[in-house]
Each structure stands twice: as structure tokens, then as C-alpha cells.
Amino acid sequence: MSRAALIALIDGPLATDTPGLTARNDLCRIRPRAAESPAALHASHIAAAIRVNAPEAQILGFSIFPGRLSTQLTTVAEALLRAAESEAEIVHCSFGHAGASPMLAEAVTAVLEAGKLLVASAPARGTPVYPAGCTGVLSVQGDARCAPGQWSLLNLPGARFGACPGGAGVPVRGASLAAAHFTGLLARACAKGGIEKMLQTPAFTGRERIGAGGPNAA
């Protein structure tokens, strides 16, 4: 019998009526009218994208963005440590810090040593971001070849995996949404006890290449 996976979503404040939300932990002071803030809207779209591929997934929210999509590194580390201690099987981060940090690396290690999967978004261009750049993290960038139910094995310096970077009527796009789609696929496989099998069957392998005829597999 399959079971619903529990995902620790580290993002903005989720509304209490968010589908699948089991609890919300605010690690920052939530500002007035937070429900209308960019952080709350971002979190809601990420949660919805996760459940596109895993409709039964349960979400444990950790709020680190009070209104704008910016926060302190100490807050991110605390959220990761709390997620490590939770019952969640997957920890999701659709954001990235520009610089590596021993504090962040220690928090990531705590998540991985707790036996959890840690998914983080990674930009397709530019320098690495963290936690996606930390060893052991499942780093994901957008791959236009992928539909919402597909993923690719990229094995690029900045991202190991790719996934669908958008959705109809969804303002959030790119690596953030791709990572959420990938987390949903993991959650679905986790519920069925088949993550290892899932990771052996990418829809595409190699870098996305844009040619005259559109995206092509390498």
C-alpha cells in the first residue's frame, strides 16, 4: 500500500488552507499582510508544483521569508536543522545563497545524515548557489525538454538534474519551479518505495541543447 510522503518546504509563509499542509513553523517574524507578499505567493506556487506530481504529498512548512524573498543565512541554517529533526522524508529549497558557508554546510550535512533527501534549485547560468552546490544535495535546474511529469539527468557542474521549468498560468518559472516538480516526482516514488528505480529512468540524458529545431537531447 502506498503512503503519502512528508515534505519539509523551506520557503515563504504558507496559508493555513494550503492543500496538504500539516503544520507551519515560522522562523522569522511574519509581516502584516504577509498572505499578499511575494514570499507567500512564491511558497504557494512551489507547494502547488510539488503536488502536481504527488497530489497526496503532505507539507511541513518552514517560513524563512517574512515578506520579500530575502532572509538571513542563520535563518536558513536553522530551518535546515529543524527539518533534519522532523519526520519529513524530503527537504525542499527553491532558493539559493551566492556564497558557500560552513554554517550552511553543517546544516546540510545534518539533513543528509538524518537520512533525508535534500532538493535545491540551481540556476542554469552564473556561479553556483547554496545549498544546491553542497555535496549530496539533489540540485535541479530548468530543462525546457521536460513536461511536468518528466526529469532529466544533466550531470552539469551546477546541477545534476533538470525538470519542467514552468506551468500554465504559473508566474514562478525557472529553477525554482523545476526543483518543485522534481521534488513531487521524488515524493511520488517515495510513496511507492521506488526512488532508486525512478532515478534510473530519466526522460532525457545530457545537457539541453537549443538548435534551429528547438530543444534536443545531447
Side-chain angles (χ1 to χ4, degrees):
M1 180 180 295
S2 63
R3 54 182 174 74
L6 178 62
I7 299 163
L9 175 57
I10 302 176
D11 209 288
L14 289 167
T16 55
D17 61 350
T18 299
L21 183 65
T22 61
R24 193 183 91 183
N25 301 277
D26 296 333
L27 278 66
C28 59
R29 184 176 181 180
I30 305 301
R31 297 175 182 175
R33 301 177 66 86
E36 303 170 10
S37 70
L41 293 174
H42 185 270
S44 68
H45 289 304
I46 295 305
I50 289 172
R51 286 170 59 89
V52 164
N53 291 314
E56 304 302 319
Q58 301 296 295
I59 296 175
L60 176 60
F62 289 93
S63 309
I64 62 169
F65 301 125
R68 295 180 297 114
L69 290 170
S70 62
T71 189
Q72 300 295 319
L73 188 59
T74 53
T75 306
V76 176
E78 182 182 356
L80 287 167
L81 291 173
R82 295 258 196 114
E85 296 172 351
S86 74
E87 296 298 318
E89 295 153 289
I90 304 171
V91 180
H92 182 89
C93 301
S94 271
F95 60 86
H97 277 264
S101 157
M103 179 193 306
L104 187 60
E106 290 177 6
V108 166
T109 297
V111 172
L112 300 178
E113 289 185 346
K116 305 178 190 306
L117 300 173
L118 176 53
V119 179
S121 57
R125 297 179 178 84
T127 58
V129 299
Y130 301 87
C134 294
T135 301
V137 174
L138 304 180
S139 52
V140 185
Q141 71 179 41
D143 187 335
R145 298 172 296 184
C146 296
Q150 296 178 320
W151 65 278
S152 59
L153 180 62
L154 301 176
N155 281 331
L156 298 174
R160 183 179 175 191
F161 303 102
C164 178
V170 182
V172 177
R173 299 187 64 83
S176 287
L177 206 71
H181 282 140
F182 188 77
T183 286
L185 291 169
L186 285 176
R188 185 172 68 188
C190 184
K192 299 178 179 180
I195 287 180
E196 290 186 5
K197 181 179 179 181
M198 172 202 151
L199 293 178
Q200 294 173 0
T201 56
F204 305 95
T205 301
R207 182 192 299 268
E208 175 188 0
R209 295 179 178 175
I210 307 299
N216 297 293

